[in-house]
Amino acid sequence: MADHAPWTRDKALAIVESYRGQRGSLLPILHDLQHEFGFIDDQAVPLLANALNLSRAEVHGVISFYHDFKREPQGRTVVKVCRAEACQAVGADRLVEHAARRLGVPLGGTRADGAVTLEGVFCLGNCALGPTVMIDDHLHGRVDANRFDALAAPLAAQVSGDAR
Amino acid sequence: MITIYVPRDAAALSVGADQIAALIRIEADRRGADIQIVRNGSRGMLWLEPLVEVATPEGRVAYGPVTAADVPALFDAGFLTGAPQPPHPLHLGPTEEIPYLKNQERLTFARCGVIDPLSVDDYREHGGFAGLERALAMTPEQVIAEVTESGLRGRGGAGFPTGIKWKTVHDAVADEKFICCNADEGDSGTFADRMIMEGDPFILIEGMTIAAIAVGARQGYIYIRSEYPHAIATLRDAITAAYVENWLGDGIHGSAHSFDLEVRVGAGAYICGEETAMLESLEGKRGMVRAKPPLPALEGLFGKPTVVNNVLSLTSVPVILARGGAFYRDFGVGRSRGTQPFQLGGNIRHGGIVEKAFGITLRELLYDFGGGTASGRPIRAVQVGGPLGAYLPPEHFDTPKDYEAFAAREAMVGHGGIVVFDDTVDMAMQARFAMEFCAAESCGKCTPCRIGAVRGVEILDRVLAGGASPKQLTLLEGLCEVMADGSLCAMGGLTPMPVRSALKHFPEDFDRPAAALAAE
Ligand SMILES: Cc1cc2nc3c(=O)[nH]c(=O)nc-3n(C[C@H](O)[C@H](O)[C@H](O)COP(=O)(O)O)c2cc1C
Ligand code: SF4
Ligand code: FES
């Protein structure tokens, strides 16, 4: 479970500064910003444009191009379910449906209480031990419905009605 | 002191290896046994993970798959001596004698799962850096000649001869050149790049340094996808260790060669595995595919001559330098020389890494090694070569693994991934997914790919709903043609491959009665 600091301009500038002199530093900076604050705050766009001598449109274009970079806060826990072929072959589609029901949040969504985000991803490199799920940075293989429930027990939807 | 090996590979971790290592430590302490636990890479027999090994005077003995509940009983059964008596059901005997491993030809993966991935000493004791040492004493031309002689072709998918690529970069005149390792490994069903980076990271550092010597580069980048946090951490640690021992940095081991290496992390975009999109991404831009020419070899990263190679291409290089191009070339068939770490995934009983010389058939891989499906049902289809690769039915399982033989069957070897489906698969759904994937991951630069994939999903949705007129399939065929002919890169250009192969080999799945609609 990730704890993120609230946005401060000084912290953001310190991150940018730590890459001074490195070429092609925008992606590493964005990764660090997201790691620190949990998402890329709108205020980061002008700040990065100014610091890296880019247009705001360029910075915005990069942020929106990559699936990893989020413009809004994510759940405190991020559950990624693999939806790619090797996991499909062992029931990933069913697992995705089950996960959405169990967590009470649609694929791609963040639950209203902010506890969890459910994401579909394409391959986690664990294709011989699927279905595969990554919860924050922890990888889990052979995840059937029962195992999912055990792994996600602390995250299960509170209202039993949600679980339908 | 007894040495126990418990893998730190992400696949092993995904089924509880950390917990097993902790429990073994607790149990040993409780019994007063003097042990050390080495966290090795995986041997690649993934259905046996967590695979625990014990070092005995007769060699390493394997147990697996070990669950938490098994640990005390293993100790009771003489696990610390590797004893076969009293028999424990998880006792697998000497690791190297397990047929899955014994019947492989491991050149690239020779050390993976054997050594401590972050120990330079262990790496050296097992032949590591021998290739680099030899390269340091050679001229760049000699290094390139050795790689060319080996017949090595790019393992990232396109199969381009590595020696020729290196020569192009070598011959280019520039103030600066780069080595970029493509570790984006986005193909579903592939995990060999990840496993070698986690299990034997120094081999990649060694291969890249040899490439740097060959072309005259002094800076390298490894572009690893963000979905691989364990590989990223392992490689960063390995780079630090390599600097400490001067296998990276200035004047490597007293030579005139200097090389700096850095890990860069992707951001969840499949297209960034395409080499020019990767270069854009490394430059801090959107991962938009560049038109070729110019070739990256001439105008690559920051406009400079750049070697872009896949992890498996670069990790094949150390053994080529250590044992000679001819040694490597003696493996394989036709114009496919050397070995390929094939990856068995999906619905497969014995999934994992099988490194074999080219020429092995799909059937041997799927049945002799793979043991058929995990579900016990018949195999109906395999997708070979990633999400842009063809779906093949059992009639094609005698095809030898060879770039040209696969091309002749409108298929590709790709990065060596093989994904198995049993007879419950719905091939029209798989075709739809191929289009959905392309729509989601297209860089958006050209219309046939960006718009075509969305149209493809729409057509297949109508087919899936049932009762579609044959005209829909004609439309789909036409769309595939437009995508294949009009796309700038293989994302749009090859998405028709899985779609067409599904249509061709499994037409019955596309002929759906209208009843499905009426029943709703
Ligand atoms: C859509 C697309 C995705 C690709 N993904 C990868 C990848 O993940 N890893 C890789 O090494 N090559 C990938 N490639 C191939 C690269 O463009 C390039 O051919 C390769 O990195 C060159 O290295 P090699 O000669 O060692 O194979 C991809 C190509 C396309 C068109
Ligand atoms: S084919 Fe698709 S991914 Fe490739 S350049 Fe065109 S739009 Fe981009
Ligand atoms: S396809 Fe799911 S982990 Fe690779």
Side-chain angles (χ1 to χ4, degrees):
Chain A
M1 197 175 286
D3 264 328
H4 296 294
W7 166 268
T8 67
R9 194 183 154 77
D10 285 351
K11 235 180 227 159
L13 282 171
I15 287 172
V16 174
E17 188 58 30
S18 70
Y19 286 94
R20 179 185 283 278
Q22 283 197 36
R23 288 182 287 187
S25 59
L26 183 53
L27 259 71
I29 290 174
L30 288 170
H31 273 301
D32 280 11
L33 288 175
Q34 177 144 311
H35 187 76
E36 183 75 23
F37 304 117
F39 68 107
I40 310 292
D41 195 288
D42 284 341
Q43 301 175 65
V45 175
L47 183 144
L48 290 172
N50 191 31
L52 301 176
N53 208 9
L54 300 166
S55 74
R56 289 182 188 199
E58 281 171 307
V59 175
H60 185 268
V62 170
I63 297 171
S64 60
F65 183 85
Y66 294 97
H67 299 303
D68 278 5
F69 300 132
K70 313 292 182 188
R71 305 300 304 270
E72 276 143 38
Q74 302 295 290
R76 288 186 292 281
T77 300
V78 177
V79 177
K80 295 179 181 168
V81 183
C82 175
R83 292 185 55 219
E85 290 92 334
C87 287
Q88 289 166 13
V90 286
D93 291 349
R94 282 194 305 279
L95 182 66
V96 167
E97 281 172 29
H98 176 84
R101 236 179 301 132
R102 178 58 48 156
L103 299 176
V105 60
L107 197 66
T110 298
R111 206 163 69 197
D113 65 1
V116 59
T117 295
L118 178 63
E119 243 184 84
V121 295
F122 298 126
C123 195
L124 294 162
N126 197 32
C127 324
L129 294 176
T132 299
V133 169
M134 192 179 259
I135 302 181
D136 293 333
D137 265 357
H138 293 278
L139 193 67
H140 304 279
R142 289 208 179 104
V143 183
D144 57 13
N146 285 337
R147 189 154 138 80
F148 184 86
D149 291 351
L151 292 169
L155 301 168
Q158 297 301 310
V159 192
S160 63
D162 280 3
R164 207 158 302 129
Chain B
M1 184 154 59
I2 297 167
T3 303
I4 311 234
Y5 295 85
V6 184
R8 50 181 279 156
D9 176 272
L13 299 182
S14 85
V15 287
D18 271 348
Q19 190 195 9
I20 300 303
L23 289 173
I24 288 173
R25 166 55 61 201
I26 290 169
E27 195 64 26
D29 289 350
R30 201 171 66 78
R31 296 175 189 236
D34 185 17
I35 66 160
Q36 65 163 343
I37 298 178
V38 172
R39 302 303 301 270
N40 54 336
S42 169
R43 296 276 197 161
M45 299 181 283
L46 294 175
W47 79 99
L48 294 174
E49 295 291 356
L51 180 94
V52 176
E53 292 176 83
V54 183
T56 76
E58 289 79 42
R60 280 155 71 161
V61 174
Y63 295 81
V66 178
T67 67
D70 294 320
V71 172
L74 280 174
F75 278 81
D76 290 342
F79 156 71
L80 290 183
T81 62
Q85 292 296 334
H88 190 282
L90 299 184
H91 181 272
L92 300 165
T95 317
E96 311 276 351
E97 293 300 316
I98 299 174
Y100 195 89
L101 204 52
K102 191 178 174 148
N103 295 331
Q104 298 194 25
E105 292 153 302
R106 288 203 165 183
L107 303 182
T108 301
F109 272 74
R111 274 179 301 261
C112 190
V114 176
I115 62 168
D116 175 348
L118 290 176
S119 162
V120 175
D121 291 345
D122 226 3
Y123 184 68
R124 294 218 73 188
E125 270 166 36
H126 287 81
F129 289 126
L132 176 53
E133 276 179 327
R134 197 163 155 248
L136 284 170
M138 290 161 83
T139 65
E141 291 78 6
Q142 286 170 326
V143 174
I144 292 171
E146 203 78 79
V147 172
T148 305
E149 185 185 5
S150 76
L152 177 66
R153 291 166 70 176
R155 303 288 189 237
F160 188 83
T162 305
I164 294 179
K165 189 182 283 186
W166 288 16
K167 183 164 190 317
T168 308
V169 179
H170 169 269
D171 291 349
V173 180
D175 57 344
E176 200 177 17
K177 297 176 184 178
F178 294 102
I179 310 294
C180 292
C181 172
N182 189 339
D184 200 49
E185 197 167 60
D187 289 4
S188 165
T190 63
F191 42 85
D193 294 353
R194 180 187 64 66
M195 289 189 62
I196 199 77
M197 287 190 286
E198 290 175 359
D200 193 13
F202 293 119
I203 196 176
L204 179 55
I205 295 172
E206 181 177 355
M208 290 184 75
T209 309
I210 293 170
I213 293 170
V215 305
R218 63 153 305 163
Q219 174 71 46
Y221 294 96
I222 307 174
Y223 186 88
I224 309 183
R225 65 199 298 252
S226 62
E227 291 84 348
Y228 284 1
H230 304 90
I232 292 165
T234 304
L235 216 51
R236 285 193 164 141
D237 288 348
I239 286 173
T240 303
Y243 270 105
V244 169
E245 309 253 341
N246 191 218
W247 290 108
L248 284 173
D250 293 334
I252 294 170
H253 278 240
S255 74
H257 296 286
S258 301
F259 187 53
D260 287 312
L261 190 53
E262 190 183 315
V263 170
R264 284 288 178 91
V265 179
Y270 177 77
I271 195 57
C272 288
E274 195 283 334
E275 58 186 359
T276 61
M278 184 190 84
L279 294 173
E280 290 286 304
S281 187
L282 277 169
E283 292 180 9
K285 302 178 188 154
R286 302 155 62 97
M288 299 289 274
V289 173
R290 297 178 185 168
K292 284 187 256 187
L295 290 174
L298 297 174
E299 288 179 41
L301 189 65
F302 304 113
K304 305 293 181 183
T306 301
V307 170
V308 180
N309 272 137
N310 173 252
V311 174
L312 296 182
S313 314
L314 290 162
T315 53
S316 299
V317 166
V319 71
I320 291 168
L321 266 292
R323 307 189 62 172
F327 166 81
Y328 193 80
R329 187 176 195 112
D330 282 345
F331 293 86
V333 291
R335 295 204 289 122
S336 305
R337 310 311 311 179
T339 61
Q340 163 78 39
F342 297 104
Q343 299 126 81
L344 299 177
N347 193 337
I348 183 92
R349 200 158 147 231
H350 298 157
I353 294 278
V354 180
E355 183 173 348
K356 283 294 277 184
F358 284 98
I360 185 173
T361 64
L362 267 178
R363 188 177 305 283
E364 289 169 278
L365 286 166
L366 293 169
Y367 295 101
D368 298 353
F369 285 94
T373 62
S375 60
R377 305 181 66 98
I379 299 180
R380 179 152 185 249
V382 296
Q383 188 178 25
V384 189
L388 309 176
Y391 283 100
L392 295 176
E395 298 87 87
H396 286 267
F397 288 178
D398 292 312
T399 309
K401 280 288 186 174
D402 166 270
Y403 292 106
E404 280 67 40
F406 266 68
R409 282 163 184 77
E410 293 166 17
M412 64 173 181
V413 173
H415 186 50
I418 300 169
V419 175
V420 179
F421 294 81
D422 72 11
D423 60 352
T424 60
V425 67
D426 179 342
M427 295 307 299
M429 288 285 286
Q430 297 311 121
R432 183 195 184 280
F433 178 78
M435 288 291 188
E436 182 195 348
F437 183 72
C438 183
E441 298 297 329
S442 165
C443 85
K445 186 157 184 161
C446 49
T447 321
C449 170
R450 188 182 70 237
I451 308 290
V454 176
R455 291 280 169 276
V457 173
E458 289 166 5
I459 297 173
L460 281 157
D461 275 340
R462 286 198 286 276
V463 171
L464 282 161
S469 75
K471 214 182 94 202
Q472 296 297 332
L473 294 184
T474 315
L475 268 177
L476 185 62
E477 189 41 59
L479 182 68
C480 283
E481 208 171 300
V482 171
M483 289 176 74
D485 296 344
S487 297
L488 180 59
C489 85
M491 177 86 222
L494 290 181
T495 290
M497 197 187 275
V499 177
R500 280 173 160 161
S501 61
L503 263 170
K504 178 173 171 191
H505 301 302
F506 309 91
E508 61 277 19
D509 287 21
F510 294 81
D511 184 14
R512 304 164 95 95
L517 239 183
E520 293 278 329

